[in-house]
Amino acid sequence: QRTIYPLSSLRSLEKLLIRQLPSLFHDNSIFDSLESLTKLKYILFEHNQLKEIPLLRSKSIDDIDLGSNLLEHIGPYAFSHLPALRQ
């Protein structure tokens, strides 16, 4: 994982804001680590040149901002494992 600090060790994190760091999204490991952050409520991944959103898993995330990316594909079930997500 190419992160500054392993996300899985930030168990009390409630907000995750990542702007203009596309190198962190070279694979899906950052998305996979969201499930271990049980207090995480909000993620903002703007200006990261994201082209697709993989399947996200989290019981606590209720708000997501993916603004200003290059989204070409969002899987049909990308958000289906986010029961707290506001619609």
Side-chain angles (χ1 to χ4, degrees), residues 28-44:
N28 287 340
S29 61
I30 197 162
F31 293 109
D32 296 340
S33 64
L34 297 177
E35 188 172 13
S36 65
L37 303 175
T38 58
K39 296 187 182 207
L40 186 64
K41 295 284 190 187
Y42 176 70
I43 58 174
L44 178 138

Side-chain angles (χ1 to χ4, degrees), residues 9-77:
S9 62
L10 301 172
R11 302 261 183 226
S12 297
L13 190 68
E14 293 183 12
K15 293 182 180 182
L16 177 61
L17 312 173
I18 300 177
R19 289 187 177 108
Q20 298 181 345
L21 290 171
S23 63
L24 294 181
F25 297 91
H26 72 284
D27 61 18
N28 287 340
S29 61
I30 197 162
F31 293 109
D32 296 340
S33 64
L34 297 177
E35 188 172 13
S36 65
L37 303 175
T38 58
K39 296 187 182 207
L40 186 64
K41 295 284 190 187
Y42 176 70
I43 58 174
L44 178 138
F45 295 155
E46 66 179 20
H47 297 285
N48 285 300
Q49 302 172 4
L50 296 175
K51 292 185 178 181
E52 65 180 277
I53 302 300
L55 181 67
L56 301 173
R57 295 178 185 271
S58 170
K59 293 182 180 175
S60 59
I61 293 175
D62 65 13
D63 195 10
I64 298 173
D65 185 344
L66 300 168
S68 299
N69 281 291
L70 305 171
L71 292 175
E72 296 173 356
H73 178 74
I74 297 176
Y77 303 105

Side-chain angles (χ1 to χ4, degrees), residues 1 66 76 80 84-85:
Q1 182 173 335
L66 300 168
S80 64
L85 187 63

